[in-house]
């Protein structure tokens, strides 16, 4: 089980209040988690990965076990701590804007 | 007597306001989609409970919401806006070719005959259509393929397709307007398009009378007379009596012929409303006086409507989707400001009341007239 923490606006869009739990075969990559997230919550389609560029949206970040994975690409397998649910995958919105 | 429902899009969410035919007391719900920009909401003219909304942010991109119960509950539908074929390039600010990139939906125009069909005007400028209630979207790419598309350039607000007018007398005819390309018309349901900018004069482009390149801000028409169009251009208020084939200026005695909105009285096709803005550099009302100007003669002669509007120290703007008229008797007129006020008139503009004073900056106002 993989735990995903969504930013406030995406929790509202998905109509969830806390963490999201996803069941995925292991090993699993960030891309696989995001695909599973969109499959379970269709309202989130295109909100994390821009479908036109297939890139992470610029004002979002991925934090994994205290490290910033935002620039590592989407196809690296996630660590066991995340795959086993001991640590969540954090999708974080930039603290910016008016 | 009838009722009205106002759909207000703002920088930080949407608001739905309801009133009876007197239009004195308003029940407010919202913010819906709190914290998101809502560029536009609009209801189906044949199923008023069906409302479409454009919700977006720079963080998470574009969402389309649909309500089937008059704005009480909402469902996110499809947000796949993919340009047809090879997207190609348009002209960038520095004159270089720039790839067409989807940014947001500026305007949603539900079909006049089918609640599941809705058109979307987007930035970078293109027209999309859904025929399944917003679940999936297809580009009407004949517009960008008109031949001039590679020469279109963005205005300061982006290269947006912001106006969609459906002709009630001819389902094959659609008018659109793009900043800063101009106005276009299709007579075959969107397959082929014609630039309809003859008569426009724009001093900010190298050839002031060029076929395209004009910064059209809004076009409006009366439903009974769709061949007569009124336009608020970057500068100049214009009129066409032949479906846009030829335009002539009707700015007349307006204190400024710059502005964004234009709309037509619901029952008097020659009665037109604009809100003059001081200039393209100031973007606020002349002398700090917020005034709606009304012509009862189809342009040329205009009168200031001031009762109930601030006549000193007012420096708001009214954006292009920010005015609407209802179909009650007398006709109601509404507009929203960048200062967060929504003003309403239940007497065709003779007097005004601020029915909301402290919303986020208003991006759009639409009104539904209900039984």
């Amino acid at each position: 089980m993989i735990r995903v923490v969504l930013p406030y606006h995406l929790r509202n869009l998905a109509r969830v209040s806390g963490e999201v739990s996803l069941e995925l075969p292991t090993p699993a990559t960030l891309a696989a988690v995001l695909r599973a997230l969109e499959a379970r919550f269709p309202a989130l389609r295109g909100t994390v990965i821009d479908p036109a560029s297939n890139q992470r949206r610029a004002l979002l970040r991925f934090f994994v076990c205290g490290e910033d994975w935002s620039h590592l690409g989407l196809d690296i397998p996630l660590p066991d701590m995340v795959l086993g649910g001991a640590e969540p995958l954090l999708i974080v919105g930039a603290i910016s804007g008016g | 007597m009838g009722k009205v429902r106002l759909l207000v899009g703002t920088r930080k969410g949407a608001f739905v306001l309801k009133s009876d035919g007197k239009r004195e007391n308003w029940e407010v719900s919202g913010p819906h989609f709190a914290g998101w920009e809502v560029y536009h909401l609009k209801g189906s003219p044949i199923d008023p409970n069906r409302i479409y909304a454009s919700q977006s942010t720079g963080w998470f991109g574009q969402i389309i919401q649909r309500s089937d119960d008059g704005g009480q509950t909402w469902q996110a539908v499809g947000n796949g806006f993919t340009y047809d074929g090879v997207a190609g390039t348009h002209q960038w600010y520095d004159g270089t070719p720039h790839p067409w990139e989807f940014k947001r939906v500026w305007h949603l125009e539900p079909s006049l005959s089918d609640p599941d069909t809705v058109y979307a005007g987007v930035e970078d400028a293109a027209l999309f259509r859904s025929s399944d209630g917003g679940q999936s979207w297809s580009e009407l790419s004949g517009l960008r393929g008109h031949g001039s598309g590679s020469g279109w350039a963005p205005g300061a607000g982006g290269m947006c397709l912001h106006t969609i007018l459906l002709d009630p007398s001819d389902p094959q005819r659609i008018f659109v307007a793009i900043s800063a390309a101009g106005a276009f018309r299709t007579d075959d349901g969107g397959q082929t398009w014609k630039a309809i900018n003859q008569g426009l004069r724009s001093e900010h482009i190298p050839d002031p009378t060029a076929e395209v390149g004009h910064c059209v801000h809004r076009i409006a028409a009366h439903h009974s007379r769709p061949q007569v169009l009124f336009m608020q251009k970057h500068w100049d208020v214009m009129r066409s009596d032949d479906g846009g084939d030829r335009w002539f200026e009707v700015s007349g005695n307006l204190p400024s012929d710059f502005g964004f909105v234009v709309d037509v009285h619901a029952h008097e096709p020659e009665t037109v409303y604009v809100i003059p803005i001081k200039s393209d550099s100031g973007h606020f009302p002349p002398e700090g006086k917020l005034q709606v100007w009304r012509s009862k003669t189809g342009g040329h002669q205009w009168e200031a409507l001031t009762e109930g509007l601030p006549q000193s120290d007012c420096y708001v703007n009214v954006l292009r989707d920010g005015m609407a008229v209802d179909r009650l008797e007398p006709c109601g007129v509404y507009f929203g400001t960048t200062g967060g006020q929504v003003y309403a008139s239940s007497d065709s503009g003779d007097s005004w009341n601020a029915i909301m004073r402290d919303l986020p900056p208003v991006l759009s106002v639409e009104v539904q007239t209900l039984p």
Side-chain angles (χ1 to χ4, degrees), chain A residues 7 9-10 13 15 43 45-47 57 59-60 94 96-98, chain B residues 12 34-36 55 58-61 63 65 74-77 79:
Chain A
H9 285 302
L10 295 190
L13 201 55
R15 296 178 182 168
R45 280 180 302 207
T47 57
R57 290 195 177 276
L59 298 179
L60 298 183
S96 60
Chain B
K12 294 294 178 185
W36 294 67
Q55 169 191 4
W59 284 258
F60 308 112
I63 303 292
Q65 297 275 356
W74 297 87
Q75 169 194 358
V77 287
N79 59 354

Side-chain angles (χ1 to χ4, degrees), chain B residues 51-197:
Chain B
I51 302 172
Y52 296 95
S54 170
Q55 169 191 4
S56 65
T57 70
W59 284 258
F60 308 112
Q62 179 70 52
I63 303 292
I64 299 293
Q65 297 275 356
R66 190 182 87 199
S67 175
D68 294 325
D69 57 11
Q72 296 179 66
T73 62
W74 297 87
Q75 169 194 358
V77 287
N79 59 354
F81 292 91
T82 304
Y83 293 107
D84 184 32
V86 177
T89 62
H90 60 81
Q91 196 176 129
W92 196 233
Y93 295 99
D94 61 2
T96 60
H98 189 83
W100 234 277
E101 296 168 337
F102 173 81
K103 295 185 179 65
R104 63 175 61 83
V105 172
W106 278 66
H107 186 96
L108 291 161
E109 191 66 33
S111 157
L112 301 176
S113 57
D114 173 18
D116 284 337
T117 296
V118 55
Y119 296 84
V122 314
E123 177 188 355
D124 287 336
L127 182 65
F128 284 78
R129 179 172 59 199
S130 171
S131 54
D132 56 7
Q135 298 289 355
S136 62
W137 297 88
S138 301
E139 186 193 1
L140 300 176
S141 54
L143 174 60
R144 284 191 310 119
H146 159 261
S148 63
S150 61
W152 299 353
M159 198 174 78
C160 51
L161 194 160
H162 50 70
T163 297
I164 305 169
L165 280 181
L166 305 176
D167 187 329
S169 66
D170 180 357
Q172 297 298 304
R173 176 172 274 201
I174 305 171
F175 303 92
V176 301
I178 297 168
S179 291
F184 297 83
R185 187 184 79 211
T186 178
D187 293 320
D188 57 14
Q191 293 184 55
T192 60
W193 294 79
K194 174 186 180 184
I196 50 167
N197 300 305

Side-chain angles (χ1 to χ4, degrees), chain B residues 278-310:
Chain B
K278 181 184 177 188
S279 71
D280 54 0
S281 51
H283 280 206
F284 47 69
E287 301 174 10
K289 300 176 179 178
L290 181 58
Q291 299 179 342
V292 177
W293 283 63
R294 178 176 63 193
S295 172
K296 292 187 171 181
T297 56
H300 296 300
Q301 295 89 35
W302 300 84
E303 58 177 329
L305 308 174
T306 62
E307 187 179 332
L309 297 176

